[in-house]
Amino acid sequence: MFAYSPDKFASLYATDLGQRIWSFLTTPENVARLETASELSKPAVEGIEEQLLAEFREEVLADRVKQMAGHMVRQILEQRDWVLDQSDVKVQSVPFSKAARYRRADWITFHAFRNTSDPRDVVLTDRRQNAALPEDARWSYYATFASPLKAAVAFGVRDIRQLRQHVHAHGYQRVRIERMLRRA
């Protein structure tokens, strides 16, 4: 199902350990875990770290082995239409300290800023640094998202392409986040 090109990891991949790691990573359950972590905007390997440790224990702690595992994960996800979003994302876990985050090719990264005096007043933009925000309020960084589902549920964005066009033309889009639950 998946093809792996080991490149600089050819000698490690040729070992029993390399073959076992590839077999482990390409199981349908682990591919689903990698994709789920990616859908949640987390580094992909966060989805398999417990299972990886349970299966390989200390064998997976060597830097070269972790690097090869990351190389393998990238090729698996790229074959499933994911693209690299950011490398060297800090991970607070064992065995990884840094990992890559992936996103769907059609996802666009947006940043949300909240009005400091009205947290329901939110501005969406495509820039986190030096973003052109409305000058009638003070803004604080709130969140980053790329998933169209997150855009729809959290910010009421129904058409991500229209949001992209509006942000490109005006620098931002202002939205009002209404309260989901009312006090009894």
Side-chain angles (χ1 to χ4, degrees), residues 40-184:
L40 295 170
S41 299
K42 301 287 185 185
V45 295
E46 282 191 16
I48 55 147
E49 59 192 11
E50 289 292 324
Q51 294 78 13
L52 192 65
L53 284 171
E55 182 74 23
F56 298 100
R57 317 250 346 138
E58 295 83 11
E59 289 179 295
V60 79
L61 296 178
D63 287 342
R64 189 83 176 141
V65 173
K66 292 185 287 187
Q67 291 167 357
M68 182 184 69
H71 190 253
M72 290 174 166
V73 165
R74 181 174 184 164
Q75 290 188 29
I76 291 166
L77 290 176
E78 285 177 345
Q79 290 174 55
R80 306 252 322 154
D81 297 324
W82 291 86
V83 296
L84 181 66
D85 183 42
Q86 183 178 347
S87 58
D88 291 335
V89 176
K90 289 189 182 194
V91 179
Q92 303 292 329
S93 75
V94 173
F96 302 101
S97 60
K98 290 183 181 179
R101 187 176 61 220
Y102 299 88
R103 63 176 175 79
R104 291 286 186 194
D106 61 340
W107 287 7
I108 304 157
T109 301
F110 290 100
H111 306 280
F113 293 83
R114 278 185 169 165
N115 183 333
T116 57
S117 61
D118 180 4
R120 301 206 181 289
D121 185 16
V122 176
V123 170
L124 306 176
T125 184
D126 58 354
R127 301 178 73 192
R128 183 168 177 177
Q129 301 294 327
N130 304 318
L133 304 177
E135 295 182 12
D136 63 345
R138 283 191 49 220
W139 302 97
S140 65
Y141 172 76
Y142 174 50
T144 296
F145 63 95
S147 158
L149 180 60
K150 286 183 182 180
V153 173
F155 302 103
V157 174
R158 301 290 176 236
D159 187 340
I160 201 85
R161 297 206 190 296
Q162 185 179 28
L163 171 62
R164 182 180 190 182
Q165 289 172 346
H166 192 275
V167 167
H168 182 70
H170 304 284
Y172 64 87
Q173 174 143 352
R174 201 168 193 165
V175 296
R176 180 117 187 120
I177 310 300
E178 294 304 326
R179 186 180 208 141
M180 293 293 152
L181 299 174
R182 304 269 185 235
R183 281 191 254 176

Side-chain angles (χ1 to χ4, degrees), residues 4 6 9-20 22 68 72:
Y4 180 57
F9 297 101
S11 61
L12 181 55
Y13 176 64
T15 67
D16 177 61
L17 177 61
Q19 295 295 305
R20 288 178 24 234
W22 179 250
M68 182 184 69
M72 290 174 166

